[in-house]
Amino acid sequence: MTQSVMVQVGQCGNQVGCRFWDLALREHAAVNKKGIYDEALSSFFRNVDTRSGGDGPDIYKGKIYSLKARALLIDMEEGVVNEILQGPLRDVFDSKQLITDVSGSGNNWAVGHKLYGYQYRENIVEKLRKTAEHCDCLQCFFIIHSMGGGTGSGLGTFVLNLLEDEFPEVYRFVTSVYPSGEDDVITSPYNSVLAMKELNEHADCVLPIENESLFDIVNKIHHMVNSGKLGSTVKQNSLVTSSAGGAKTAQEKPFDAMNNIVANLLLNLTSSARFEGSLNMDLNEISMNLVPFPRLHYLVSSLTPLYTLADVNVPSRRLDQMFSDAFSRDHQLIQADPKHSLYLACALLVRGNVHVSDLRRNIERLKPSLHFVSWNQEGWKTGLCSVPPVGHSHSLLALANNTCVKPTFIGLKDKFMKLYKKKAHLHHYLHIDGMEQSCFSEAISSLSDLIEEYNELDATKGGPRIDPPRLQIAV
Amino acid sequence: MAIVAVQLGQCGNQIGQEVFNAICSDVRGTHGLCSKKENESYHDACKERFFSEEESEVPVARAVLVDMEPKVISQTLSVAARSGYWKYDDRSHFCQKQGSGNNWANGYSVHGPRHKEVIMNLVQKEAEKCDRLGGFFTIMSMAGGTGSGLGAFVTQCLRDAFPTSFILNHVIWPYGTGEVIVQNYNSVLTLSHLYQSSDALLVHENDVIHKICAQLMNIKQISFRDVNQVIAHQLGSVFQPTYTAESALHYGRNPLGDLMETLVPHPEFKMLGLRNIPQMPENFLAYSTFSWPGLIKHLRQMLIANAKMEEGIDWQVRPPRLGSSTPSSHSTNKPLHFNTSIANLVILRGKDTHSVDLGSFRDPSLYTSWLSPQDAFKAWKTPRAFNKYEKSATLVSNSQFLLKPLDNVVGKAWNMFASKAYIHQYTKFGIEEEDFLDSFTALEQVISSYTSL
């Protein structure tokens, strides 16, 4: 069994990360009734004997003593991390997993990446090594951060670089929250594009998320629950946004529901690696199947169902609806419509009591309405995990490598150019040691190249399918 | 003679466990429909073949379990032990912590060499337990990374370490509409490599078995377990003890050798297909009766028309009339869709097998001209019924059965290769474009050979 380490950087990264650990504990508690520390738990948690005070040795088998998250919490201001440490999750982390500072990065990528990066490099490497040492077989680093700010964006991508240098064999999956349309951080386009270059070059897989989509989904659920349009009752604690039964804070912050969605995404992504199933889908398989060319590693994700009706028997129709929803525009976690763009590859990870025949039936049904690139007409990767998420009898995570990410990137580029042409706010960046004009021009050029690659693929869409001639054998 | 099974990857291990289950439950059953003496002979022959004599309350399967991640093997071992009727040797398995990531190159170039010694040691130990080693039966899928890549490597090692033993690879052909996106690459690499070291490839297609489950077995929600059980039944019907023409008084002792001798006269032609009838839900068996003429007629037409199961057979297809054209001419004089055979093996189990007329299978128009029909066709029989079927007939065929699926897979892989998609994932582990081209060339050769039959 392999282990994964979560690296949460910045305010957004840490808030999402916090929700992840809460839900992960809840999920494992529901499955692990006997309190035995098993392989599934070990993928994200260490079992530490803390009775002797201080940090005892790791315990690999037997009873659960004290679970410690395999995580690194990094933030250049203290507010968010302090709140986590005073909250109900305080025992899941220990002080050796934190790196904080006081003044923050001022929404400046250069401050995060160059200044704090340089300053904290040794510290970060040492703590990463420590976490890795506790792992029997470390498979993957998950980075959670936002793109628009300073710490998550700048320091987060610095850590990404570090991970590639120090742990080249370990996969790097990055969950990036992209700035929304009415973002109030003026410099977010600069930060995002500078970060994009790093993601292009150093990440194995990126899962872009947009707040607008999360917000829409939260509203939709709210609407459905309160409108009474549904015939039967909705199970409250089955909402993909809820943290009911978990560690609840006094007041639910507005972002909690949205962050829960992202946390669920990560849980579902790793479910097949942690739990058994008839067709396992490990993290290295995700990267292998969904990334046909090294730079095209941006995966659009969607989660269904968003809620479960109290009706336990799932008729085929409802199951099929789950599959249809996964491809609809309002279930995607970024503002994109994969159905009308070109698929390079698609993965479906099903959890719960779903059989291979259900999976096949739905793929056959949905295939005709989707456009796949000519050389990958049957580009489906499937996984079946027997253990459903808490409160659901089944669920589906769809990951698509689809050209519908292009508009997001073009939007970023346009906003960047608007500022850059006027050289607005540039001096804030350039006066940081190590930061030069070329950083900007390289970053925008990297993004342009990426957009161009997607353009080239889109150009093949709908065109005549010309299969290359086969090898001729002399008889 | 004993057969050592090597179960590779998730698929190989899941199927292997069902196969031993099916064999065990067949032997235990009281539905043999034959004399007690016969039953005992059958039991002894089966036991010698698949299970080893060890100090244990239950028979221990002759198998080595290999996987690069631990979840499936631990499940397989525990499910077997829980049955109470048989188990695996606790020491005969090898697994690692991290899988092959559906990457053939990872399985073949990284895991293979790295773990060669340990794996071959396990195989050696199992081989030594056998009084006489009859050969190896490997079970693997082509679509993933371990079964396919590591499987190809292990097959090569088996060939090197046991140059005179028979190696039969049981290969699972994935669903046409993806289980794994790079499955066509993995399949092409697997098949081309296996062709060099294996004696024969016995193929089961997921799509076909799925249809059997849906249409014949009436299963509404088909799981992989259902599919694997059908596959296990079909394999059992081939490898459970039988009498052959040469060994008419004792149960045949060299099933793999006999199979190879009959079906693989030429190393260019190693693709074997399998058909088994009748297939139905267990609770229908009591209400169904079959006649041998009927079963034989259906099986023969399934062969000629390349039907995948006993429903929906195209009865219009007829063999070409001999004398009207030279058999080796290219398709122009051959009726469309006619499946030409190199060699066939029919296995009959159950009531009245001694009196079955198999003349229709000896019809020379079914075959190429290389072998006389006497040599191109063999029959194995036993009066002992198999797995509750009063009468059961199996066909193992070296014919154009797999030509179309092979052509499909190579075509799709080539299409993807032309755009160079995913190639970086393979070069990362040492499989270069050159290696791909070699594999494509090898398989186009096989396709061409089978096409020109």
Side-chain angles (χ1 to χ4, degrees):
Chain A
M1 189 66 85
T2 55
Q3 289 82 39
S4 300
V5 171
M6 194 69 66
V7 182
Q8 1 189 127
V9 191
Q11 171 177 20
C12 170
N14 278 292
Q15 283 175 338
V16 174
C18 179
R19 297 314 319 138
F20 171 79
W21 291 110
D22 184 25
L23 291 180
L25 281 170
R26 182 159 68 122
E27 182 168 274
H28 280 282
V31 174
N32 191 333
K33 301 286 186 198
K34 296 189 193 148
I36 305 283
Y37 180 67
D38 61 9
E39 302 239 310
L41 263 175
S42 84
S43 65
F44 279 114
F45 295 94
R46 290 165 52 209
N47 190 16
V48 183
D49 186 352
T50 47
R51 283 175 302 179
S52 47
D55 198 21
D58 271 24
I59 298 159
Y60 291 101
K61 283 197 171 120
K63 229 163 56 84
I64 295 174
Y65 282 95
S66 172
L67 290 174
K68 294 278 181 221
R70 296 189 196 277
L72 210 57
L73 285 67
I74 304 178
D75 200 357
M76 293 296 102
E77 50 179 17
E78 297 179 313
V80 178
V81 174
N82 276 344
E83 212 181 311
I84 296 177
L85 292 180
Q86 279 152 24
L89 288 176
R90 58 180 166 277
D91 292 324
V92 173
F93 306 105
D94 65 45
S95 55
K96 298 200 216 62
Q97 293 168 274
L98 316 171
I99 299 177
T100 54
D101 201 312
V102 283
S103 24
S105 305
N107 286 327
N108 185 328
W109 184 93
V111 172
H113 196 99
K114 304 279 185 187
L115 196 79
Y116 285 123
Y118 180 72
Q119 191 176 334
Y120 282 99
R121 187 177 211 281
E122 301 281 306
N123 196 348
I124 296 174
V125 172
E126 198 205 309
K127 296 203 162 139
L128 283 171
R129 290 220 165 280
K130 216 55 217 290
T131 341
E133 270 162 37
H134 287 301
C135 296
D136 215 0
C137 179
L138 177 60
Q139 183 182 44
C140 185
F141 282 108
F142 284 95
I143 297 184
I144 318 179
H145 71 146
S146 69
M147 299 284 279
T151 303
S153 177
L155 190 55
T157 49
F158 179 81
V159 173
L160 179 62
N161 259 292
L162 258 187
L163 290 175
E164 188 174 20
D165 289 336
E166 301 287 323
F167 306 90
E169 315 262 294
V170 181
Y171 287 92
R172 296 171 292 283
F173 275 61
V174 187
T175 309
S176 305
V177 180
Y178 280 69
S180 61
E182 321 99 25
D183 187 38
D184 53 2
V185 175
I186 304 179
T187 49
S188 73
Y190 283 160
N191 297 332
S192 304
V193 173
L194 289 163
M196 275 294 287
K197 175 167 179 287
E198 308 298 318
L199 292 182
N200 279 343
E201 290 171 17
H202 305 291
D204 285 314
C205 265
V206 178
L207 300 158
I209 314 274
E210 278 177 340
N211 273 341
E212 280 145 324
S213 302
L214 295 179
F215 191 63
D216 289 341
I217 291 175
V218 170
N219 274 342
K220 190 170 158 171
I221 296 177
H222 202 67
H223 228 65
M224 291 306 262
V225 172
N226 293 334
S227 71
K229 274 205 196 124
L230 305 165
S232 355
T233 43
V234 173
K235 285 205 305 193
Q236 280 286 346
N237 68 349
S238 68
L239 298 173
V240 88
T241 54
S242 85
S243 44
K248 221 182 163 123
T249 47
Q251 295 164 296
E252 283 226 351
K253 293 193 291 234
F255 281 105
D256 261 1
M258 289 158 64
N259 291 341
N260 275 336
I261 299 178
V262 184
N264 270 306
L265 163 67
L266 289 170
L267 277 178
N268 283 346
L269 189 66
T270 54
S271 62
S272 190
R274 290 176 290 136
F275 301 115
E276 37 137 72
S278 60
L279 189 57
N280 297 332
M281 184 154 99
D282 210 346
L283 291 167
N284 51 4
E285 293 174 23
I286 292 175
S287 161
M288 172 69 180
N289 283 286
L290 292 174
V291 184
F293 301 101
R295 278 157 55 94
L296 301 181
H297 54 246
Y298 294 86
L299 306 178
V300 178
S301 49
S302 67
L303 282 172
T304 52
L306 301 175
Y307 48 80
T308 321
L309 303 180
D311 182 0
V312 178
N313 290 315
V314 187
S316 272
R317 232 190 37 205
R318 195 146 287 148
L319 202 61
D320 288 9
Q321 185 60 43
M322 177 176 82
F323 281 90
S324 301
D325 285 341
F327 292 92
S328 84
R329 145 198 288 249
D330 10 325
H331 281 75
Q332 308 302 318
L333 300 191
I334 65 166
Q335 301 277 288
D337 189 8
K339 251 187 163 157
H340 293 104
S341 304
L342 190 65
Y343 274 91
L344 302 179
C346 185
L348 296 174
L349 216 187
V350 190
R351 297 180 69 174
N353 64 340
V354 183
H355 300 281
V356 67
S357 52
D358 301 312
L359 201 50
R360 310 215 56 73
R361 181 182 66 247
N362 279 287
I363 291 179
E364 291 302 314
R365 189 171 61 87
L366 293 164
K367 221 169 51 137
S369 59
L370 304 170
H371 307 279
F372 272 83
V373 74
S374 69
W375 41 260
N376 205 1
Q377 289 283 303
E378 278 98 17
W380 297 90
K381 163 72 180 154
T382 55
L384 290 162
C385 173
S386 336
V387 178
V390 178
H392 293 246
S393 58
H394 54 281
S395 77
L396 170 65
L397 165 67
L399 293 171
N401 192 340
N402 187 307
T403 56
C404 66
V405 283
K406 208 176 55 170
T408 306
F409 297 154
I410 293 179
L412 272 182
K413 183 178 172 188
D414 290 342
K415 291 197 189 103
F416 176 95
M417 292 311 291
K418 254 202 189 127
L419 289 176
Y420 193 58
K421 281 205 181 102
K422 303 230 175 74
K423 304 224 188 301
H425 303 283
L426 222 48
H427 55 286
H428 292 302
Y429 291 77
L430 295 176
H431 84 84
I432 303 289
D433 225 355
M435 202 61 193
E436 283 157 17
Q437 192 96 8
S438 59
C439 295
F440 281 84
S441 51
E442 275 166 21
I444 196 66
S445 148
S446 171
L447 183 57
S448 299
D449 287 343
L450 184 66
I451 293 174
E452 197 40 45
E453 277 187 59
Y454 280 110
N455 275 336
E456 275 171 31
L457 284 164
D458 267 337
T460 66
K461 180 176 168 227
R465 166 129 174 237
I466 308 166
D467 288 339
R470 294 268 290 272
L471 286 176
Q472 295 293 316
I473 301 293
V475 173
Chain B
M1 278 200 192
I3 300 177
V4 172
V6 184
Q7 313 181 172
L8 296 145
Q10 171 167 29
C11 173
N13 280 293
Q14 283 175 191
I15 291 184
Q17 188 253 320
E18 295 292 354
V19 171
F20 282 108
N21 237 5
I23 290 175
C24 227
S25 101
D26 172 45
V27 163
R28 258 177 28 240
T30 50
H31 46 255
L33 297 184
C34 56
S35 69
K36 191 156 173 263
K37 185 158 170 289
E38 187 70 63
N39 224 0
E40 273 170 19
S41 293
Y42 187 78
H43 181 127
D44 291 339
C46 169
K47 223 175 150 256
E48 184 208 20
R49 206 174 270 195
F50 299 112
F51 299 93
S52 58
E53 284 296 332
E54 278 180 56
E55 272 145 45
S56 147
E57 298 112 45
V58 289
V60 178
R62 296 188 194 279
V64 177
L65 293 72
V66 179
D67 199 359
M68 288 298 101
E69 59 109 359
K71 293 195 299 279
V72 180
I73 287 191
S74 72
Q75 249 201 318
T76 308
L77 290 173
S78 74
V79 170
R82 259 186 286 145
S83 75
Y85 294 112
W86 67 281
K87 63 177 209 172
Y88 287 106
D89 185 336
D90 293 318
R91 296 151 301 171
S92 286
H93 66 95
F94 174 74
C95 64
Q96 287 292 277
K97 304 198 185 85
Q98 193 178 171
S100 303
N102 289 165
N103 191 323
W104 194 94
N106 198 3
Y108 185 85
S109 308
V110 177
H111 288 132
R114 196 180 282 176
H115 306 300
K116 175 177 172 178
E117 219 180 298
V118 181
I119 296 175
M120 290 312 285
N121 268 342
L122 287 179
V123 172
Q124 188 69 41
K125 276 214 197 85
E126 274 301 331
E128 277 163 18
K129 281 193 221 162
C130 306
D131 260 346
R132 273 168 58 190
L133 178 64
F136 297 97
F137 180 63
T138 74
I139 315 178
M140 60 219 269
S141 74
M142 294 199 306
T146 300
S148 69
L150 181 61
F153 185 83
V154 167
T155 305
Q156 227 167 275
C157 295
L158 285 175
R159 176 52 72 215
D160 292 335
F162 301 88
T164 53
S165 291
F166 294 105
I167 303 177
L168 176 65
N169 288 78
H170 178 236
V171 176
I172 297 297
W173 212 268
Y175 285 103
T177 45
E179 293 165 28
V180 169
I181 294 177
V182 290
Q183 64 186 43
N184 298 312
Y185 279 166
N186 293 339
S187 301
V188 164
L189 291 164
T190 305
L191 290 169
S192 59
H193 278 79
L194 284 182
Y195 233 77
Q196 289 164 23
S197 3
S198 170
D199 287 309
L201 280 68
L202 184 61
V203 174
H204 265 115
E205 298 167 74
N206 269 351
D207 281 306
V208 172
I209 306 297
H210 192 106
K211 268 222 190 87
I212 291 178
C213 286
Q215 293 179 255
L216 298 179
M217 311 293 279
N218 271 334
I219 304 175
K220 291 282 177 290
Q221 288 187 303
I222 301 167
S223 65
F224 270 115
R225 188 147 178 267
D226 299 315
V227 172
N228 293 344
Q229 283 176 345
V230 172
I231 293 176
H233 171 88
Q234 296 203 347
L235 288 175
S237 78
V238 175
F239 291 111
Q240 283 291 54
T242 53
Y243 296 104
T244 65
E246 294 80 31
S247 172
L249 298 172
H250 307 284
Y251 274 113
R253 302 200 67 206
N254 191 6
L256 286 184
D258 291 338
L259 194 100
M260 301 303 177
E261 201 189 341
T262 306
L263 292 173
V264 191
H266 189 293
E268 183 70 9
F269 298 89
K270 289 180 179 171
M271 310 282 297
L272 306 179
L274 188 63
R275 300 283 183 270
N276 167 264
I277 58 173
Q279 289 248 225
M280 61 181 49
E282 200 173 298
N283 48 4
F284 281 27
L285 285 173
Y287 306 104
S288 316
T289 43
F290 297 93
S291 71
W292 281 118
L295 286 173
I296 298 302
K297 190 160 169 228
H298 274 75
L299 200 58
R300 182 176 182 268
Q301 193 61 23
M302 281 166 76
L303 168 66
I304 297 173
N306 198 353
K308 309 284 190 181
M309 57 182 186
E310 64 251 48
E311 258 176 42
I313 302 176
D314 184 353
W315 291 93
Q316 302 292 338
V317 180
R318 295 245 179 280
R321 253 173 295 143
L322 277 184
S324 56
S325 62
T326 45
S328 58
S329 69
H330 241 290
S331 68
T332 40
N333 291 311
K334 281 224 168 76
L336 281 168
H337 311 307
F338 173 73
N339 180 42
T340 311
S341 303
I342 295 172
N344 288 313
L345 167 66
V346 166
I347 304 168
L348 303 175
R349 300 177 182 274
K351 213 157 151 231
D352 302 327
T353 46
H354 54 273
S355 59
V356 181
D357 175 14
L358 288 165
S360 59
F361 272 97
R362 294 198 178 84
D363 180 355
S365 64
L366 265 53
Y367 299 95
T368 60
S369 60
W370 320 334
L371 303 166
S372 68
Q374 276 83 303
D375 293 326
F377 176 74
K378 289 278 192 291
W380 296 353
K381 301 180 187 179
T382 170
R384 208 278 190 180
F386 173 67
N387 209 8
K388 305 197 179 102
Y389 282 83
E390 183 198 67
K391 299 187 179 85
S392 163
T394 304
L395 166 69
V396 185
S397 172
N398 190 345
S399 64
Q400 293 170 317
F401 264 170
L402 293 156
L403 181 51
K404 195 142 169 283
L406 183 58
D407 191 56
N408 269 342
V409 164
V410 173
K412 286 187 204 159
W414 183 248
N415 212 0
M416 197 182 266
F417 184 68
S419 69
K420 300 284 175 277
Y422 298 102
I423 300 296
H424 71 283
Q425 306 270 17
Y426 292 85
T427 50
K428 196 161 67 170
F429 293 110
I431 297 294
E432 306 294 330
E433 282 186 31
E434 277 285 297
D435 300 308
F436 274 93
L437 281 172
D438 288 341
S439 291
F440 279 114
T441 313
L443 291 183
E444 292 286 6
Q445 182 69 58
V446 174
I447 291 173
S448 166
S449 304
Y450 270 103
T451 310
S452 62
L453 282 183

